[in-house]
Amino acid sequence: MALIVQKYGGSSVGNSERIRNVAARVAQYHARGDSVVVVVSAMSGVTDGLIKLAKELMPLPSEREMDMLLATGEQTTIALTAIALHAIGVPAVSMTGAQAGIVTDGVHTKAKIQNITPKKIKELLAERKVVIVAGFQGQTREGQVTTLGRGGSDLTAIALAAALKADLCQIYTDVDGVYTADPRIVPEARKLAEISYDEMLELASLGAKVMQSRSVEFAKKFGVIFEVRSSLNDNPGTIVKEETRNMEDVVVRGVSLDKNQAKLTLVAVPDKPGIAARVFKALGDANLSVDMIVQNISHGTGSPATDLSFTVDKPDLLKARKVIDDLHSEVAYVQVIATENIGKLSIVGVGMKSHTGVAGKMFDTLAREGVNIDMISTSEIKISVVVELARAEQAMKAVHAAFLG
Ligand code: ASP
Ligand code: MG
């Protein structure tokens, strides 16, 4: 008998057939005596559809109202999942994030969990009920509805597993686990039996849309070991846990492609102290997270100027553009170029710490493919390049073949 947290993503609850399938799996665990907490996402496409509706009315809707709107997606699925369990005779109760005791800060659309008091959940489990919790949402101390950022149901599941000291945390999705690359783009990709938090974190933050990065950070911090597996079969998935020594033998664990970034370039900003500080402080104040930053060497002699480029998440492009436009009088750039036609290609592996020549091999592979590199960034366990979107998948296949083929 174990306490299990299971999370089902949007595609796993995408229609009534799939929801019935989830209910059947939950019922099996319940029948063998386990206590089961189920976290569900909105049905696939629902969150995107709601965002689209709001944007038809206004390009930058109020973030408070967006949370009110988006939280309805998960509220639909918790009720449907509970109903599907009732239909097969399993006692189940649905709960919103607030009812489940998930308290967040007040940063709408990107709220952070401050604490979880799972008292009510424990009571219901003690009555042998399956508890279905709405992912992705919480409530501030003042009672405002908040959401945890796109993909936030993963965070709900991991945080609940930590708060409940669950024996097992399973993240069910529509793939069999974490792959060396997205198999839809790279057919040769292989499923990994295990991966370290840090590698998973890089892959998640780099756009291998397996899990929300914040949820993996949270798991690392609280030592929540979890399994990513498919809701469509019984194959074992990928175990995500702290790095073990033999993990370093593999140089590159995976290759990922993030198509969800956009690039802004401030052309000919004055090259003098304080400019970068001003730009990135303003972006930070607007709660925008900037990923890669590249500043060129000065051009011109009289009053030196430089180009400053950075990337933000694609959905944040309009907001970032506005921040930059508002800075024009202070930061006298000549023009701003914004583009969504980029892809960020990355290789990740804890083995990079102890192997050399990895960057050279990656760049050489891209050169052979005739793919131009626009920006580069590296960390101890990853190398990322920004390339033209139209060539990005071709580049990914070549790099995967070079390191993992
Ligand atoms: N429904 C939310 C989203 O699409 C949260 C989630 O799926 O985890 O981002
Ligand atoms: Mg998701």
Side-chain angles (χ1 to χ4, degrees):
M1 271 177 17
L3 171 52
I4 305 178
V5 174
Q6 300 186 331
K7 181 257 173 179
Y8 293 91
S11 53
S12 303
V13 291
N15 55 42
S16 53
E17 197 50 52
R18 292 274 174 96
I19 293 176
R20 211 176 271 137
N21 179 52
V22 166
R25 186 182 297 269
V26 172
Q28 275 177 26
Y29 284 89
H30 183 260
R32 64 174 211 203
D34 295 327
S35 296
V36 195
V37 175
V38 179
V39 174
V40 285
S41 292
M43 296 164 82
S44 54
V46 166
T47 308
D48 287 338
L50 292 169
I51 293 174
K52 186 165 170 285
L53 274 175
K55 294 211 162 155
E56 277 168 23
L57 299 171
M58 196 182 176
L60 271 182
S62 141
E63 291 177 332
R64 178 191 183 276
E65 300 309 329
M66 286 309 286
D67 277 353
M68 214 52 151
L69 178 66
L70 299 190
T72 64
E74 273 69 14
Q75 201 169 329
T76 305
T77 357
I78 49 169
L80 290 173
T81 307
I83 291 167
L85 281 159
H86 297 166
I88 53 172
V90 180
V93 184
S94 66
M95 299 183 104
T96 63
Q99 289 173 331
I102 299 172
V103 176
T104 73
D105 65 19
V107 183
H108 284 293
T109 79
K110 288 179 186 168
K112 286 201 169 62
I113 295 179
Q114 285 183 332
N115 65 67
I116 300 186
T117 318
K119 187 165 163 279
K120 192 72 201 157
I121 296 181
K122 284 183 185 158
E123 283 169 21
L124 291 164
L125 290 176
E127 294 167 16
R128 289 285 298 136
K129 298 214 165 76
V130 172
V131 181
I132 324 270
V133 181
F136 175 58
Q137 54 173 265
Q139 180 179 285
T140 65
R141 264 173 230 292
E142 295 74 36
Q144 297 290 334
V145 174
T146 51
T147 65
L148 308 175
R150 296 306 305 270
S153 300
D154 291 330
L155 180 59
T156 306
I158 300 284
L160 277 175
L164 291 162
K165 300 190 173 59
D167 302 298
L168 209 58
C169 180
Q170 302 173 321
I171 307 289
Y172 286 93
T173 169
D174 56 356
V175 291
D176 275 1
V178 184
Y179 279 70
T180 53
D182 184 340
R184 284 164 300 192
I185 304 175
V186 185
E188 300 76 33
R190 296 184 306 272
K191 185 176 74 183
L192 297 161
E194 57 177 31
I195 186 171
S196 71
Y197 290 125
D198 287 336
E199 289 168 330
M200 181 72 182
L201 208 46
E202 293 287 14
L203 288 171
S205 69
L206 297 173
K209 285 179 228 79
V210 196
M211 276 183 80
Q212 189 207 34
S213 338
R214 270 174 55 197
S215 66
V216 183
E217 275 164 25
F218 197 101
K220 178 178 157 83
K221 189 161 161 200
F222 293 96
V224 178
I225 296 172
F226 59 92
E227 182 187 10
V228 179
R229 53 184 293 172
S230 171
S231 64
L232 307 172
N233 59 48
D234 290 319
N235 300 340
T238 302
I239 304 289
V240 188
K241 59 180 192 181
E242 200 46 80
E243 180 181 332
T244 55
R245 186 155 298 155
N246 66 359
M247 283 183 177
E248 274 204 41
D249 297 345
V250 178
V251 185
V252 174
R253 182 90 47 208
V255 180
S256 74
L257 177 60
D258 185 355
K259 296 182 183 173
N260 196 36
Q261 299 226 342
K263 186 175 81 165
L264 281 151
T265 302
L266 279 61
V267 179
V269 269
D271 192 8
K272 63 179 192 207
I275 294 289
R278 189 68 202 95
V279 170
F280 294 104
K281 168 130 194 345
L283 291 164
D285 288 347
N287 274 309
L288 289 163
S289 61
V290 170
D291 183 34
M292 286 167 110
I293 302 176
V294 168
Q295 184 184 305
N296 288 335
I297 50 167
S298 274
H299 43 73
T301 37
S303 47
T306 177
D307 295 342
L308 184 61
S309 298
F310 59 90
T311 62
V312 292
D313 291 342
K314 233 172 230 180
D316 285 342
L317 181 61
L318 263 186
K319 192 171 168 188
R321 174 85 208 231
K322 185 167 184 307
V323 170
I324 299 302
D325 286 345
D326 290 347
L327 280 178
H328 191 222
S329 54
E330 262 178 274
V331 180
Y333 52 79
V334 171
Q335 64 162 320
V336 187
I337 302 171
T339 174
E340 293 193 334
N341 291 326
I342 60 165
K344 184 167 108 175
L345 176 68
S346 309
I347 55 176
V348 172
V350 289
M352 281 184 209
K353 293 183 199 172
S354 48
H355 292 79
T356 56
V358 187
K361 183 169 170 183
M362 182 186 194
F363 302 158
D364 188 48
T365 306
L366 293 170
R368 280 169 207 275
E369 290 291 313
V371 174
N372 187 45
I373 301 174
D374 209 13
M375 296 168 109
I376 301 172
S377 81
T378 63
S379 81
E380 213 183 9
I381 65 163
K382 126 198 132 179
I383 301 168
S384 301
V385 295
V386 166
V387 298
E388 187 194 336
L389 188 58
R391 309 290 299 274
E393 292 194 357
Q394 174 203 350
M396 183 183 199
K397 286 187 192 130
V399 168
H400 187 275
F403 287 99
L404 293 152

